[in-house]
Amino acid sequence: MLYAFLIFGSLILFFFFSAAIISLREKETRASYIFFTAGFLLSVPYFLFYVFEVPANVFVILIFFGLPALIFLFLLFPFDPVAKRIEISPRPSHRFDERDIMFSRRRLKPGTARFEDYYRAHPEKKVLDDEWRRKPGLLNPKSRFYDPVWFSASESSFDTVEILHPYVNGVADKNRQNFDPQKITAFIKDWLLRSGAHSVGVTVLQDYHLYSHLGRQEPYGAEVLKEHRFAVAFTAEMDKETVDHAPLAPTVLESADQYLKVGVLAVKLAAFIRRSGYPARAHIDGNYRLICPLAARDAGLGEIGRMGLLITPELGPRVRIGVVTTDLPLITDSYKPDSTVIDFCSRCLKCADNCPSKAISFDDRKFEQGVLRWKINPEACFGYWSSAGTDCARCMKVCPYSHPDNLLHRTTRAVIKRNFFARYLAIKMDDVFYGRKRLP
Ligand code: SF4
Ligand code: SF4
């Protein structure tokens, strides 16, 4: 029996100290300290029993072995009646007009006919937009978190993405290759993953993936036509350590760099498909015809969470998305709504709590144009960006799903997907280990 105390105590010590070392490597000193302390405090009684050879009665055995085993089994047991009751949102039945997004409105120049026309049609947006227009603006030297080096590097990355714009589309080669859809889909996925993508999926291109009208490209206001049958969506990881600087200057450079990365991957994939004789278009920063998170979700890459971003299984919202649309026959992936993410977001609210502009809703999902979802306040969010000078990303930084994809967090993610109690415990524990409010 005494050896059981020694083995159990060692297991506890091993588990907690391993978690502490992983946290230390993640530079999460608070989590590391708590894991070390918990490991020490929880294992010491077992070692005391062993060292002093205390006789164990039934009560001691139940407390020291039965109780931990029961908790352990209860958390690991697949039991999730809650997720089954979560209402699944209907698919959108309308398209979103790109002219209404903040990046399109930002391009409107006061005094121009386009500016006047837009606000004549949307007078309710004028007051809101006047407010952020008075602020310095993204990557502006007068903004709050201005840093000459990081801002200039970010501008350089965004400029490089723009250099790619002429290559997003082109004419397909006249000689069409006959590919086996299974093989070419596997090849494309493997190629993108080897080129630095984190995840890749394929979906049938839906009407609602596409914008209704152009807002950032010419001809402004032109109707977006559905030209292709499939969309290949992929993600690139945003570096955790850099995102942890949010909302300071390094995050905006990380965003710019990952927009560039997915931009390069999308342009090269589209070029390859066109060389093979099929039409293909890359959708990259500033030059989209569709809403990337929707296409990525339907390609099975994640679920849309409270902050409106795609929550991927391994990296949460800490990704940038690239998409290529094409007529090349491909094998599609299936999207299964992830009720566990919706349930987690319903209770977590950490992004809403940490959002400096209060742009993220604390309420439950609501029906917006037939879609059950959380809607962020884009003017408030963009207003903060305009004074910060960066794209903020505090919501991304604090999201419990954003933790690195290592053994510790992979195990947690697997457990919270199967057991609602573990999910609720994980929300509380994330606050304990990493803090509820995470300041820059
Ligand atoms: S921080 Fe919490 S509520 Fe917000 S998206 Fe992440 S899991 Fe959902
Ligand atoms: S980016 Fe910043 S301001 Fe915008 S929603 Fe996220 S936390 Fe809020």
Side-chain angles (χ1 to χ4, degrees), residues 246-247 307 309 351-352 354-360 376-378 380-385 390-398:
M307 65 174 84
L309 299 180
C351 51
N354 281 271
C355 173
S357 67
K358 298 290 164 231
I360 301 175
I376 77 152
N377 178 337
C381 174
F382 196 75
Y384 183 76
W385 292 15
T390 71
D391 57 352
C392 176
R394 263 184 79 179
C395 44
M396 182 187 287
K397 161 177 150 176
V398 301

Side-chain angles (χ1 to χ4, degrees), residues 211-426:
Y211 285 120
S212 62
H213 297 85
L214 289 186
R216 279 186 276 184
Q217 293 290 313
E218 299 300 331
Y220 178 81
E223 192 184 343
V224 175
L225 302 174
K226 185 162 174 262
E227 292 173 333
H228 300 134
R229 288 170 58 205
F230 299 102
V232 181
F234 52 93
T235 60
E237 177 173 7
M238 288 183 65
D239 177 62
K240 176 74 171 72
E241 269 188 48
T242 316
V243 169
D244 278 346
H245 287 91
L248 306 182
T251 28
V252 70
L253 176 57
E254 183 60 17
S255 293
D257 282 348
Q258 297 315 321
Y259 276 125
L260 177 56
K261 181 171 180 175
V262 292
V264 169
L265 295 187
V267 166
K268 89 168 181 178
L269 174 60
F272 161 73
I273 296 174
R274 290 195 300 268
R275 283 174 76 93
S276 309
Y278 299 86
R281 189 196 199 279
H283 301 264
I284 68 174
D285 184 51
N287 201 322
Y288 297 107
R289 294 290 183 271
L290 49 67
I291 301 169
C292 290
L294 284 183
R297 181 197 65 174
D298 289 353
L301 300 187
E303 185 56 85
I304 311 280
R306 179 179 289 274
M307 65 174 84
L309 299 180
L310 183 78
I311 308 280
T312 61
E314 289 99 12
L315 305 172
R318 201 164 43 80
V319 294
R320 290 290 174 225
I321 305 167
V323 175
V324 170
T325 51
T326 180
D327 274 344
L328 170 69
L330 295 167
I331 304 297
T332 57
D333 296 284
S334 58
Y335 158 62
K336 287 195 202 85
D338 191 343
S339 313
T340 64
V341 171
I342 303 296
D343 184 40
F344 197 99
C345 281
S346 301
R347 291 160 195 277
C348 161
L349 303 163
K350 201 163 184 173
C351 51
D353 251 348
N354 281 271
C355 173
S357 67
K358 298 290 164 231
I360 301 175
S361 165
F362 284 88
D363 298 336
D364 287 341
R365 291 177 300 161
K366 288 194 179 80
F367 275 100
E368 290 270 344
Q369 296 179 290
V371 179
L372 186 56
R373 64 176 182 131
W374 286 286
K375 188 177 183 307
I376 77 152
N377 178 337
E379 290 86 8
C381 174
F382 196 75
Y384 183 76
W385 292 15
S386 303
S387 54
T390 71
D391 57 352
C392 176
R394 263 184 79 179
C395 44
M396 182 187 287
K397 161 177 150 176
V398 301
C399 180
Y401 282 104
S402 283
H403 290 301
D405 185 25
N406 57 33
L407 184 64
L408 176 63
H409 302 297
R410 219 174 290 146
T411 311
T412 311
R413 286 182 189 121
V415 171
I416 66 171
K417 242 185 164 30
R418 295 149 50 98
N419 184 303
F420 82 100
F421 185 74
R423 199 154 57 239
Y424 301 163
L425 190 66

